[in-house]
Amino acid sequence: MKRLFAILLTLFSLSCFQLEAQTVYQDLQKRSIYEFLDEMTNLHLIELNTLTQPYSRSLIAQKLEGLDTAQLNKRQKEELHFFLKEYKKELLRKDYQEKRKDLFYYADSSFQLTVNPITGGSYSANKSGNYWHRWWGGELFGYLGEHWGFYASLRDQLESDQYLQENFLHRRNGATYKGSGDFSDFRGGLTYQNKKVTVGLIKDLFSWGNHQFGSNVFSTKAPSFTRFNLKLKATDWLELNYFHGWLNSEVLDSSRSYSAGIQQRKILANKFIAANYFSIKPFKKFYFSIGNSIVYSDNFHPAFLIPFAFYKSVDHAIYAGGGNDGGANTQIFMDVSSRNIKGVHLYASLYVDEISFARMWEKDSHSNFVSGKLGAQWSNILNSNLSLSGEATLTNPMAYRHFINTTTFASNQYTLGHYLGDNAMNLAFQLDYRPLARLKCSAGLNLATKGTTNPYTEEGEDVLGLNFQEEIVWRRNQFYTSLRYELINDLYLTARYEYREVSGAQAFLYSPELFQGNTHTFSGSINLGF
């Protein structure tokens, strides 16, 4: 109740400000609009900080509305017109005329509501067997007055096999299974926005850090968790993103568990996270960002509601120095993004786990639990609707992990960071061609390796200086081609071919049986909504 009161008090305080816009976040799985905005930003047609996602629908609408069509080619103009059918409702409200088809849409001067179905299925097959996945549900979003935004979605899902379980190394979002391949996924939020500040209580996927093939700071690998979210746009050159979240530890608290009739009532240990990211724009089209986070357990502490804190110092004050006496788990991260060359996005990010300034610059870099990423994207090469992306990620042993199982950088046992986890390397390249509006043809190469993962076996065990991939236990060489076409708004048809070589002593642990060895896999899907 105290935490709820604090959040409500914050929302009430912010209501004293003059409000200009509202916030409903656009699902990250709707990749077509995010890819279009990336292209427009790379081509210097809009200015957008791509560090944190998802974006609000209002922000997307403003960026689309501000585009100069005289600078777009035929395909881009058609796609802009197509997307505006969806997002002009954020700008026009009840005067919204040329719009997409919705199951239900209502708007007046003070209220707006959209309701749509979600349904779809996918099927994959190769010489080892097949895999299918189906889902159905619905989503709604809307605005109340000039201040509030709200959204919710529910997907009931079923797989032929538990392909999304936490040990398998792929980028798809994790699942909390109810049994067999059955699970459901609720996402939503309630937000309040003023001229410079947005706050919200949100359960949704998000990512922090520039990337094309999976962030190494906060990725979408773990199932969504509830968080109190704050975004402060202080000036045109300074922005703060912050959240405090409630994670799922999946660690039994035996002292609070009890017998409840014929069953045992199992209580899990509390697990929390707080994080901030400051983004600075020293000059146009260049951003430098730095932030830190802390994963802590057992008891909520209000100090971690301070959005601009350095959490390592707070950790020392609260947990008597941290370390093996049961302190929290802290991280620091940095990101550099440059679009100063027209058409080209260059970026790099660094994640440092278990901050230790004493060993930060040691010659033996493996003593630092770090993950680094370098990437580049060249959009609309020679105005030919062709783009090329490349990215390299390297993560040292022990990054994202901790000797206390209630303070690991994970939720529901899924990593919050890069989907490959620690002691891993990933090289990815992709060529995209868009011959027609809403049609994307892709070909890509993805090379990934993972070394031995050494668990903490004894309290105080020295895990410094572990060699990077001294022994590779899993390797995946992957070539793929794919087609994706958005027939109408949110109705997608996809087809995909993949050739994979999966090998190593622990291939059985990190890849489903269907994709072990050398396989040629054909896949297809149709989905309405996400």
Side-chain angles (χ1 to χ4, degrees):
M1 290 300 294
K2 290 180 180 179
R3 294 195 291 270
L4 180 61
F5 177 75
I7 292 172
L8 292 176
L9 181 61
T10 302
L11 293 174
F12 176 76
S13 300
L14 289 168
S15 67
C16 298
F17 293 91
Q18 180 182 359
L19 300 173
E20 292 191 343
Q22 296 155 289
T23 295
V24 164
Y25 290 105
Q26 177 58 65
D27 196 321
L28 270 175
Q29 291 178 294
K30 185 172 181 176
R31 292 311 308 164
S32 57
I33 184 60
Y34 285 92
E35 292 165 358
F36 185 76
L37 292 175
D38 277 350
E39 181 184 7
M40 296 298 103
T41 308
N42 293 348
L43 296 176
H44 295 181
L45 300 179
I46 59 174
E47 177 88 11
L48 184 62
N49 185 0
T50 54
L51 177 75
T52 63
Q53 296 179 359
Y55 307 139
S56 72
R57 290 178 57 89
S58 295
L59 175 65
I60 293 172
Q62 292 165 14
K63 296 301 180 182
L64 295 177
E65 184 72 7
L67 280 169
D68 180 3
T69 57
Q71 300 187 60
L72 304 180
N73 63 29
K74 180 182 178 182
R75 186 266 306 174
Q76 293 165 341
K77 289 178 182 178
E78 291 178 1
E79 289 190 344
L80 174 61
H81 179 73
F82 177 77
F83 288 129
L84 283 174
K85 289 182 178 181
E86 166 74 27
Y87 294 100
K88 266 195 173 180
K89 65 178 67 172
E90 266 66 31
L91 303 171
L92 300 178
R93 290 290 181 99
K94 64 179 181 179
D95 298 322
Y96 183 37
Q97 299 297 326
E98 189 179 3
K99 68 179 186 68
R100 59 160 287 177
K101 300 295 183 181
D102 293 305
L103 179 65
F104 176 81
Y105 175 73
Y106 173 81
D108 58 31
S109 59
S110 61
F111 179 71
Q112 183 182 140
L113 177 65
T114 300
V115 180
N116 278 310
I118 294 175
T119 186
S122 65
Y123 181 83
S124 301
N126 60 34
K127 66 179 183 180
S128 300
N130 61 75
Y131 162 83
W132 55 262
H133 178 200
R134 68 98 180 120
W135 59 95
W136 64 272
E139 64 175 351
L140 63 85
F141 65 88
Y143 306 98
L144 183 62
E146 297 179 350
H147 314 323
W148 294 93
F150 59 90
Y151 67 105
S153 66
L154 178 64
R155 302 161 178 81
D156 182 82
Q157 309 199 48
L158 183 66
E159 297 179 289
S160 58
D161 196 8
Q162 293 187 359
Y163 178 50
L164 304 182
Q165 61 190 26
E166 64 272 11
N167 55 293
F168 291 150
L169 300 181
H170 51 68
R171 288 178 55 193
R172 291 179 59 187
N173 177 234
T176 52
Y177 290 102
K178 295 182 287 185
S180 184
D182 186 21
F183 65 100
S184 63
D185 182 14
F186 170 83
R187 305 175 200 167
L190 177 66
T191 65
Y192 205 99
Q193 182 174 347
N194 72 20
K195 185 176 181 180
K196 294 182 178 293
V197 178
T198 304
V199 295
L201 188 61
I202 294 168
K203 183 182 183 294
D204 203 351
L205 300 178
F206 72 101
S207 72
W208 282 12
N210 281 285
H211 69 94
Q212 291 293 325
F213 303 96
S215 174
N216 64 332
V217 180
F218 284 102
S219 72
T220 58
K221 180 62 177 176
S224 61
F225 58 87
T226 304
R227 67 189 192 276
F228 171 67
N229 210 64
L230 168 69
K231 186 181 185 72
L232 171 62
K233 183 74 172 177
T235 68
D236 182 56
W237 54 269
L238 178 62
E239 179 181 305
L240 167 66
N241 285 274
Y242 161 86
F243 72 86
H244 183 282
W246 286 258
L247 305 178
N248 189 323
S249 70
E250 292 198 0
V251 176
L252 182 67
D253 186 339
S254 58
S255 65
R256 294 196 299 146
S257 300
Y258 55 90
S259 298
I262 61 174
Q263 292 186 333
Q264 181 78 4
R265 174 62 170 167
K266 296 180 180 180
I267 307 297
L268 301 181
N270 292 324
K271 185 175 183 179
F272 310 95
I273 185 171
N276 59 37
Y277 224 155
F278 294 87
S279 194
I280 302 166
K281 184 174 70 172
F283 45 87
K284 286 185 178 181
K285 299 172 181 57
F286 184 93
Y287 293 87
F288 171 75
S289 306
I290 185 168
N292 76 127
S293 61
I294 185 166
V295 182
Y296 69 104
S297 61
D298 303 324
N299 297 313
F300 166 80
H301 200 290
F304 300 121
L305 289 177
I306 300 173
F308 42 80
F310 182 59
Y311 298 117
K312 183 68 173 179
S313 179
V314 179
D315 175 28
H316 288 164
I318 294 174
Y319 295 106
N324 289 355
D325 58 0
N329 181 15
T330 53
Q331 303 82 34
I332 191 169
F333 25 85
M334 291 173 281
D335 188 278
V336 176
S337 170
S338 170
R339 289 183 167 89
N340 299 100
I341 303 172
K342 187 175 181 179
V344 178
H345 183 204
L346 303 174
Y347 57 92
S349 62
L350 177 68
Y351 168 98
V352 184
D353 200 354
E354 276 304 293
I355 304 167
S356 175
F357 294 105
R359 66 172 188 266
M360 180 83 62
W361 312 113
E362 288 183 2
K363 183 177 180 181
D364 183 4
S365 62
H366 301 302
S367 293
N368 290 295
F369 310 154
V370 303
S371 176
K373 179 185 292 292
L374 289 172
Q377 183 182 50
W378 188 7
S379 293
N380 199 28
I381 301 170
L382 302 177
N383 199 30
S384 62
N385 294 319
L386 194 69
S387 63
L388 178 65
S389 303
E391 189 172 283
T393 306
L394 188 149
T395 306
N396 274 349
M398 307 310 298
Y400 307 125
R401 302 174 60 204
H402 200 246
F403 62 91
I404 298 174
N405 60 1
T406 55
T407 57
T408 55
F409 197 71
S411 184
N412 295 99
Q413 299 187 36
Y414 292 84
T415 179
L416 298 175
H418 194 265
Y419 74 97
L420 290 177
D422 73 316
N423 204 11
M425 182 275 295
N426 187 217
L427 293 175
F429 304 92
Q430 183 167 302
L431 185 67
D432 298 318
Y433 179 52
R434 293 176 167 86
L436 303 171
R438 312 195 305 276
L439 175 62
K440 178 184 175 183
C441 311
S442 301
L445 182 66
N446 195 302
L447 310 176
T449 58
K450 189 170 179 66
T452 304
T453 300
N454 298 306
Y456 287 100
T457 56
E458 297 180 7
E459 183 178 352
E461 179 186 3
D462 185 9
V463 294
L464 301 181
L466 297 177
N467 291 325
F468 175 74
Q469 294 196 346
E470 191 172 76
E471 178 188 3
I472 294 177
V473 297
W474 175 84
R475 183 188 301 273
R476 183 191 65 205
N477 298 330
Q478 178 184 19
F479 169 77
Y480 60 88
T481 61
S482 66
L483 297 174
R484 186 193 70 199
Y485 184 66
E486 191 170 1
L487 187 62
I488 59 175
N489 293 92
D490 287 352
L491 178 58
Y492 287 88
L493 303 174
T494 64
R496 184 180 177 97
Y497 161 75
E498 293 184 49
Y499 172 70
R500 300 191 194 194
E501 297 175 349
V502 176
S503 60
Q506 295 186 358
F508 70 95
L509 177 63
Y510 295 126
S511 291
E513 184 177 358
L514 182 68
F515 300 114
Q516 294 173 22
N518 297 350
T519 56
H520 299 267
T521 303
F522 297 88
S523 305
S525 68
I526 179 171
N527 63 284
L528 178 63
F530 300 92

